[in-house]
Amino acid sequence: MHPEIPLASHRTAASQPVTGHTSAAGPARMTLTQLSAFVFVARRGSVKAAARELGVSDPAVSQALGALRQQLGDPLLTRTADRMALTEAGRRLLGIATQMIALGAAAERAVRSPVAERLHLVATSVLAEFVSPPLANLFSARHLIDTSFGTASADEMEGLLANGLADVALGPRMARPGLVSEPVLRCRLIVVGAPRGLRDTWLVDPSGIDPGGDTGLLLRRLRVPETRIRVFPNQTAAWNAAADGAGVAPAIAHLVTPQMRRGELATVPTAATPMETCWYATTLEPAVRSPAATALLDFLAGGAATQLMRSPEAGVPKAFFRPQVSVTLPR
């Protein structure tokens, strides 16, 4: 699971020391604080961006990341021309670290939250960026179910659901035995760019390197070579670069409408677009599905959820808004 962190309602204890040194009591253990720093830097591309997202100082993030590197004996992330890139060991750690953060948050919620029912929602990166936050807020407020959310690739979702680490996945349809996918919204994938921008560079969010996602499928259909693809931390950053003329970017048509109305972006015709697609909600089979997951499926079939998925920029009513709680690091 790749939480496009902020993992909405995930929190970790910030009181643990961020040191990798061996003490008299034995070798130091990695902490959720250190793993959170690693995940944020990996997802945001730099220490500065991670610190800004977490609301802490750059040294706090650097210290936590440095302690983790020392304990594991690997740099985990190396600096490239424009961002921090994962080493091979870092790539192996990222999914595990994300799950550990989620489990730590779940443990804290189990102790602190007075709400009986809980639900963890995972989504592809674009849905996690635009749809999951307002959807989780509205659902949680209406049903009094404590809802957290994170990001996962299409391939990772199956394992998360099957192993009980997620209750519902929003994204592509899944055919794995024991899982049930129900369509929730039909949409179109298009390509956008500045009216006079470059056309030979493709600007994508992390879903562009997810072979099971719509963007990855589009790039394969168009036979776009990897040398012409630039990956950004999120879809908004890719669109902003496209608006600056740096290249073209895939986009779900109704999500990019505000930028197109402002004239920042325009449709770029291709041989494979518009590409019809559909968002699915996937859960375990009804016999073993949690009541909270069933409640979310019923909610997604309603008009309020459909309208929100079509126009997430409109937000949710004030009465239903719940502020996000992010992972915190010591300052």
Side-chain angles (χ1 to χ4, degrees), residues 86-289:
L86 290 164
T87 65
E88 182 58 35
R91 280 190 290 272
R92 295 195 299 269
L93 174 63
L94 184 58
I96 299 171
T98 298
Q99 292 178 24
M100 292 176 71
I101 295 170
L103 290 172
E108 184 170 342
R109 288 196 306 273
V111 173
R112 296 179 181 274
S113 176
V115 181
E117 289 191 89
R118 296 175 180 83
L119 179 139
H120 185 58
L121 170 69
V122 293
T124 53
S125 58
V126 172
L127 285 167
E129 181 178 349
F130 293 98
V131 175
S132 294
L135 199 66
N137 269 318
L138 187 57
F139 170 73
S140 184
R142 285 190 171 187
H143 293 267
L144 299 180
I145 294 175
D146 187 18
T147 306
S148 62
F149 57 91
T151 306
S153 69
D155 290 340
E156 291 170 331
M157 287 179 177
E158 294 185 354
L160 293 172
L161 291 167
N163 290 291
L165 296 175
D167 300 291
V168 181
L170 285 180
R173 182 177 179 273
M174 300 179 200
R176 177 170 173 165
L179 300 181
V180 178
S181 290
E182 299 185 8
V184 293
L185 190 71
R186 298 193 179 279
C187 45
R188 292 182 303 123
L189 187 65
I190 62 175
V191 176
V192 296
R196 294 181 176 82
L198 299 176
R199 295 290 185 263
D200 60 347
T201 302
W202 287 74
L203 317 171
V204 303
D205 75 298
S207 69
I209 55 175
D210 179 359
D214 291 331
T215 299
L217 175 60
L218 174 63
L219 295 177
R220 291 196 300 275
R221 286 182 177 178
L222 293 173
R223 298 182 179 179
V224 178
E226 290 187 2
T227 54
R228 291 172 52 194
I229 299 173
R230 291 178 57 196
V231 183
F232 289 79
N234 52 57
Q235 182 72 90
T236 299
W239 289 347
N240 288 341
D244 290 337
V248 296
I252 295 296
H254 69 269
L255 295 181
V256 79
T257 295
Q259 288 87 339
M260 297 181 71
R261 284 176 178 167
R262 293 193 296 265
E264 299 169 0
L265 294 168
T267 302
V268 176
T270 77
T273 52
M275 188 175 91
E276 301 298 323
T277 186
C278 185
W279 295 342
Y280 289 84
T282 302
T283 63
L284 296 174
E285 293 178 332
V288 292
R289 183 186 299 157

Side-chain angles (χ1 to χ4, degrees), residues 15-124:
S15 58
Q16 305 178 60
V18 288
T19 175
H21 298 294
T22 301
S23 67
R29 302 294 184 182
M30 70 180 72
T31 66
L32 292 178
T33 293
Q34 295 163 5
L35 292 171
S36 298
F38 163 69
V39 171
F40 268 79
V41 174
R43 291 299 170 203
R44 297 308 180 201
S46 72
V47 169
K48 183 177 290 296
R52 183 168 59 249
E53 186 75 32
L54 289 162
V56 300
S57 66
D58 293 6
V61 175
S62 296
Q63 182 187 10
L65 180 59
L68 186 63
R69 284 167 159 166
Q70 182 176 347
Q71 290 178 49
L72 297 181
D74 189 275
L76 303 176
L77 292 150
T78 58
R79 188 175 302 281
T80 63
D82 57 353
R83 61 182 286 113
M84 298 287 280
L86 290 164
T87 65
E88 182 58 35
R91 280 190 290 272
R92 295 195 299 269
L93 174 63
L94 184 58
I96 299 171
T98 298
Q99 292 178 24
M100 292 176 71
I101 295 170
L103 290 172
E108 184 170 342
R109 288 196 306 273
V111 173
R112 296 179 181 274
S113 176
V115 181
E117 289 191 89
R118 296 175 180 83
L119 179 139
H120 185 58
L121 170 69
V122 293
T124 53

